[in-house]
Amino acid sequence: MPRRAQHSKEDLVELALEQFWTAGYFASSMDDLVKSTGVSRYGIYSAFGGKEELFLACFEIYQKMVVSPAFAQVEAPRADLSAARRYFECQIQRASESGLPGPGCFVANSATEVAPVMPKAKAMVEAHNARLKSGFTNALNNSGTGDAKVVHALADVMVVFTNGFWSTSRITNDAGTLHSCVDCFLNMMEEAVK
């Protein structure tokens, strides 16, 4: 009789996400994935076909577990820049509780590590950034100016800041620096939409 799988596909992806998020794609060998997930090479290949497919599956679970719970407040119909501030503050608190420097943002990490050489990862990074831009556009529209051109440009700047911000969280152990950066940046955004 064949052995039953001990992990569901979703469990496997969640465990693999932790490995990829902290170590990166290229530094995570199949042996590392076997150790971190508790699933054999055969089990990983059977479920996903290989390391790349497993990595790509991590994007969806990351959106579900990390991005949506935090960013949904910015996407709410009446959200304004105070919702963006709460989003950053909530994420700083989460990073502080798990220990700084932390792993940063899985998607921002993927943008610099694998997106240049893995077209499917690039498309997922672009979709994530489009989601951020849409949410920030919403918050900016509810915060002041009705000038669509200004809002479009500022939303792009907010996406760039967000990605740089999470990269910085990988090298600092000072949450105060992160709070100061968010405060300064969002004060500038609030002035820009007056």
Side-chain angles (χ1 to χ4, degrees):
M1 231 159 107
R3 257 177 65 185
R4 283 183 53 198
Q6 293 183 10
H7 295 287
S8 69
K9 279 179 94 168
E10 187 168 296
D11 291 339
L12 172 54
V13 175
E14 285 183 27
L15 293 166
L17 171 62
E18 291 300 321
Q19 173 65 37
F20 287 131
W21 192 358
T22 56
Y25 177 79
F26 293 114
S28 296
S29 68
M30 282 303 288
D31 285 342
D32 293 327
L33 290 165
V34 167
K35 287 177 193 166
S36 63
T37 64
V39 177
S40 70
R41 281 174 180 262
Y42 175 78
I44 292 171
Y45 281 109
S46 294
F48 290 96
K51 177 181 165 182
E52 182 174 330
E53 293 81 0
L54 177 57
F55 176 77
L56 294 171
C58 291
F59 278 84
E60 186 177 332
I61 204 89
Y62 182 77
Q63 291 290 324
K64 179 181 166 185
M65 290 174 49
V66 179
V67 178
S68 291
F71 200 66
Q73 62 190 316
V74 181
E75 297 170 311
R78 295 177 191 238
D80 58 14
L81 285 173
S82 64
R85 189 177 297 274
R86 287 191 304 276
Y87 157 71
F88 285 110
E89 294 297 333
C90 170
Q91 294 295 71
I92 293 169
Q93 181 178 342
R94 185 175 187 267
S96 296
E97 287 169 359
S98 62
L100 286 169
C105 168
F106 172 74
V107 181
N109 299 349
S110 298
T112 57
E113 184 192 18
V114 297
V117 296
M118 191 184 293
K120 288 181 181 177
K122 182 180 181 201
M124 291 176 168
V125 168
E126 288 170 345
H128 172 80
N129 286 340
R131 179 182 182 181
L132 293 180
K133 182 174 180 176
S134 177
F136 290 139
T137 298
N138 176 56
L140 288 160
N141 277 328
N142 291 328
S143 295
T145 185
D147 186 334
K149 201 171 184 179
V150 169
V151 167
H152 177 77
L154 292 175
D156 281 335
V157 170
M158 291 184 78
V159 172
V160 171
F161 172 81
T162 303
N163 286 310
F165 176 81
W166 294 126
S167 294
T168 301
S169 76
R170 297 187 72 188
I171 57 171
T172 186
N173 58 4
D174 181 12
T177 298
L178 299 176
H179 287 292
S180 294
C181 288
V182 166
D183 194 48
C184 180
F185 178 72
L186 288 175
N187 287 344
M188 289 190 294
M189 290 298 102
E190 287 164 356
E191 283 298 313
V193 295
K194 278 186 179 177

